[in-house]
Amino acid sequence: MNTVERWKQEKHPLDVIEDVYEYADEGLSFDEIEARAGDGEWERLKWAGLYKHGQHRGYFMLRTKVPGGRLTPEQAEVIGEVADDFATAPDAHGGENQNSVWGDAFLDITTRQDIQMHWIEIEDMPEIWRRYDEVGLTTVQGCGDGARNVLGCPAAGLTDHECFNAQPVVDAVSDFFTGNREYANLPRKFKMTVTGCREDCAQSQINDIGLTPARKRIDGEEYYGFHAKVGGGLSDGPRMASPLDVFVRPEDTVEFCRAVAQVFKELGDRHNRGVCRMRYLVEQMGVENFEEAVRDRCSVDLRSRGVDRSESYTGDHVGIHDQKQEGLRYVGFNVIAGRMGGDEFAEAARAARRHGTDDATLRLATDQNFLITHVPDDGVKELVDEPFAEDYQPDPGPFSRGAVGCTGSEFCNYGIIETKNRVRRWAKALDERIDTPDDLDVVRMHMSGCSASCAQPQIADIGFRGETVNVEDADETTNEEGDAIVEGMDFGLGGSLGADNEFIDWVETAVPANAVIPAIEELFEAYVDERADGERFYEWNRRTDDDRLRTVMQRADAPVSKGVAQDD
């Protein structure tokens, strides 16, 4: 049994929520919490949605779950106000100038439709939870070895692209697992996505459970439901999810997901945390055996597959779009790398109330952007002219539109490189420097600060994962041994989801950060010269030999291939 499993046996992780109130009431420091509860408490606090900062002892990252990404304006306003009031850096760490771009009191929209905040202190958690309780928000199991936030289509109920609105099913699955002691201690994190949309923007192919729309004739009548995939995921062992031969009725979805969790709970590896994710279990058992195990544990009849209704993959909802409700639109705002001020997010919520109908919502998307819905046609211009929207306009350049970044070394224990500022800076620079084809509306550029894949680089047109790089023949050294150590990254090309899904090919490793933009410029010059009609950038990458891609990158007047990964 690994150390984390031992910690979870010592105390059920959900019990830590009551402990948070105690720590806050007594004003305990990190040292005092550690002395009372041991090192395992930092792991158990993840079940309360709290991660301790890697570089700043005494402070936490707080993750708020948003099932399907759907927020009422009241909920969104509270989230923004909490960030503005509590996600504030101390003077010792720069205060309002902590980050050169965003200062402090900001929030991050994640690739799992969550909200993350930094600089949170334990003493403020009771007040944060009090505000959240008033509007129906939770941080419970935002992290930890249990069911994470359930993904869904951010445009659920709004478009003709869906077979049916699956948001009620998303909510039901989330409600079942959140706070459920029976399934709050799994071998590792457990990720689910549920969508009735034909365009699979909820990324079923890279989740532990992916439910997508299907249709089946039962007793002479046609019914909508879901087809299921299992065992998808990224990180160091990426795997596309495998389809099961099951048709899941909407009313049976909670029970189906429970049965899958039961299999994982009973049979998943609790020894080596490096291979504890459910995708490894599916691979080891084989899909047929895994399906049999699920059927054995499921209390409802799981029929065989029907007709699949998924058609494609849509990576974002940026722009101004007609809703299926006559006279209404939704607006997808572009938030580069997902970071914005808490005050801006709260103001976006107020703007949704001012310019939307009573049904207006604010929706978070898996590409770190957000939507405001139910806006009458004549209110759209006033909405996009609001002050909060100045930096988040719905008509960005292709690199800004596709830019995704994880937390990075600024706050994360695992981050090797800084990401958020860099992604924003690079996306804007590339939009200015590269003249992309008119029919190329997005270039998905994803940057993870390490190999953990929180920014999903494996499914991007261009993906990065952080490295420290030892640069040869450098002008100056950065350590006592005389080495020149700089931030750099592995450089990958050609990933995507959908009908032609494929993980990225890591074309070049240990590229110094200052060589990346020149290398991208060279790649796009070759791409524009050689592309077929309508060919996407990732498609060109796939049909071009890796040796050729490396040669093109090395044309840049920069040390593209002159670094080596630095061993820790």
Side-chain angles (χ1 to χ4, degrees):
M1 181 179 294
N2 63 58
T3 302
V4 173
E5 290 299 325
R6 177 171 55 80
W7 287 335
K8 291 188 292 182
Q9 281 204 345
E10 290 171 358
K11 180 172 70 177
H12 194 288
L14 286 177
D15 290 343
V16 82
I17 295 166
E18 288 304 314
D19 293 334
V20 170
Y21 287 102
E22 183 178 309
Y23 301 151
D25 182 60
E26 297 183 27
L28 297 189
S29 68
F30 265 39
D31 288 342
E32 290 168 327
I33 292 171
E34 210 165 75
R36 177 178 297 185
D39 290 345
E41 197 74 340
W42 307 122
E43 185 68 28
R44 291 185 290 262
L45 280 165
K46 294 177 182 178
W47 274 254
L50 292 163
Y51 267 93
K52 67 174 182 175
H53 272 183
Q55 308 298 324
H56 318 105
R57 191 167 175 83
Y59 299 91
F60 292 96
M61 178 274 283
L62 176 67
R63 182 177 293 155
T64 303
K65 291 169 66 173
V66 185
R70 187 184 188 279
L71 293 166
T72 66
E74 291 74 22
Q75 290 174 322
E77 185 175 18
V78 167
I79 288 172
E81 289 174 345
V82 164
D84 200 38
D85 291 345
F86 300 110
T88 52
D91 290 339
H93 291 289
E96 294 180 357
N97 300 312
Q98 176 265 316
N99 183 288
S100 60
V101 175
W102 289 280
D104 69 349
F106 48 74
L107 55 79
D108 295 334
I109 303 169
T110 79
T111 55
R112 291 204 61 80
Q113 297 175 306
D114 294 303
I115 293 285
Q116 294 184 173
M117 304 172 193
H118 300 281
W119 301 113
I120 300 298
E121 297 180 80
I122 199 87
E123 64 193 46
D124 294 323
M125 285 308 302
E127 173 61 15
I128 292 172
W129 281 340
R130 184 192 67 78
R131 297 189 193 185
Y132 273 16
D133 286 345
E134 288 182 350
V135 293
L137 292 168
T138 188
T139 68
V140 173
Q141 290 171 257
C143 325
D145 296 344
R148 297 293 183 88
N149 194 43
V150 182
L151 300 187
C153 174
L158 306 180
T159 80
D160 292 327
H161 297 152
E162 65 184 2
C163 299
F164 57 94
N165 180 0
Q167 182 65 41
V169 184
V170 170
D171 293 335
V173 173
S174 181
D175 289 345
F176 174 80
F177 282 100
T178 301
N180 187 328
R181 296 176 72 88
E182 184 72 18
Y183 296 100
N185 179 5
L186 298 176
R188 280 295 299 273
K189 65 186 77 171
F190 185 57
K191 297 181 175 181
M192 295 174 283
T193 177
V194 182
T195 181
C197 178
R198 294 193 297 270
E199 297 186 342
D200 196 17
C201 50
Q203 303 179 328
S204 67
Q205 295 168 325
I206 55 170
N207 278 267
D208 294 303
I209 300 177
L211 297 177
T212 54
R215 193 169 175 87
K216 185 176 178 65
R217 181 173 290 274
I218 302 173
D219 297 329
E221 293 190 35
E222 294 285 336
Y223 290 89
Y224 273 119
F226 301 103
H227 280 167
K229 303 181 186 73
V230 295
L234 299 176
S235 197
D236 290 330
R239 185 182 190 278
M240 293 290 181
S242 301
L244 300 183
D245 184 19
V246 299
F247 177 83
V248 183
R249 297 178 301 177
E251 61 268 31
D252 296 335
T253 305
V254 169
E255 172 58 14
F256 171 78
C257 293
R258 185 210 60 78
V260 176
Q262 184 69 31
V263 173
F264 186 33
K265 177 183 176 181
E266 292 178 24
L267 305 181
D269 190 329
R270 292 182 184 264
H271 301 276
N272 181 353
R273 281 186 69 82
V275 293
C276 283
R277 292 293 303 274
M278 199 183 86
R279 62 180 179 271
Y280 294 106
L281 179 62
V282 174
E283 189 71 24
Q284 290 159 6
M285 292 181 65
V287 178
E288 291 184 359
N289 289 334
F290 188 89
E291 180 183 320
E292 182 179 355
V294 173
R295 288 181 178 276
D296 286 346
R297 290 159 177 81
C298 193
S299 66
V300 297
D301 181 22
L302 295 175
R303 295 169 173 83
S304 61
R305 288 170 65 88
V307 178
D308 198 281
R309 297 303 306 271
S310 291
E311 296 175 357
S312 61
Y313 170 66
T314 297
D316 70 53
H317 294 78
V318 173
I320 300 170
H321 303 270
D322 291 334
Q323 292 184 194
K324 62 183 179 183
Q325 295 85 4
E326 186 174 353
L328 296 179
R329 297 186 180 188
Y330 71 86
V331 180
F333 292 93
N334 180 230
V335 186
I336 300 176
R339 179 166 289 179
M340 62 189 298
D343 58 342
E344 294 175 311
F345 197 71
E347 189 51 44
R350 298 179 193 117
R353 277 201 298 266
R354 284 195 295 272
H355 302 294
T357 69
D358 290 344
D359 295 320
T361 57
L362 195 149
R363 315 276 186 97
L364 311 179
T366 57
D367 60 335
Q368 300 182 318
N369 296 313
F370 74 92
L371 290 57
I372 290 178
T373 75
H374 294 85
V375 183
D377 293 341
D378 58 6
V380 171
K381 184 180 186 306
E382 291 182 348
L383 175 63
V384 299
D385 286 343
E386 286 275 359
F388 86 85
E390 182 177 354
D391 288 335
Y392 312 111
Q393 285 295 299
D395 57 349
F399 287 95
S400 294
R401 180 170 181 164
V404 171
C406 74
T407 299
S409 61
E410 185 180 14
F411 298 113
C412 180
N413 291 330
Y414 303 107
I416 299 171
I417 64 170
E418 191 282 323
T419 54
K420 291 290 189 182
N421 294 23
R422 178 175 279 126
V423 167
R424 185 177 189 275
R425 185 172 65 251
W426 283 9
K428 289 179 175 290
L430 289 165
D431 279 333
E432 291 178 0
R433 293 169 64 162
I434 295 179
D435 187 15
T436 54
D438 291 341
D439 60 348
L440 188 68
D441 55 352
V442 61
V443 179
R444 296 192 176 92
M445 182 178 69
H446 293 202
M447 185 182 298
S448 271
C450 70
S451 63
S453 302
C454 296
Q456 304 175 336
Q458 291 98 326
I459 61 168
D461 292 274
I462 306 170
F464 306 111
R465 58 188 180 194
E467 292 268 18
T468 50
V469 177
N470 190 338
V471 182
E472 302 170 0
D473 304 323
D475 294 332
E476 59 185 44
T477 63
T478 57
N479 65 11
E480 293 179 358
E481 289 75 25
D483 300 319
I485 308 299
V486 299
E487 286 192 337
M489 52 206 71
D490 296 334
F491 193 128
L493 297 166
S496 75
L497 294 179
D500 58 351
N501 61 315
E502 192 171 310
F503 289 130
I504 209 166
D505 193 357
W506 295 106
V507 174
E508 191 70 85
T509 59
V511 178
N514 64 358
V516 170
I517 287 182
I520 293 175
E521 289 180 302
E522 294 295 333
L523 286 167
F524 266 83
E525 183 175 335
Y527 161 63
V528 170
D529 286 344
E530 299 173 11
R531 75 188 293 249
D533 288 346
E535 188 174 37
R536 312 295 293 182
F537 183 62
Y538 75 84
E539 293 172 326
W540 175 78
N541 286 316
R542 290 180 187 175
R543 71 173 176 86
T544 304
D545 182 81
D546 281 1
D547 288 339
R548 169 103 202 296
L549 292 172
R550 280 190 286 270
T551 299
V552 170
M553 292 168 65
Q554 290 163 13
R555 293 175 188 167
D557 185 18
V560 172
S561 60
K562 296 182 180 179
V564 294
Q566 174 70 15
D567 294 331
D568 293 334

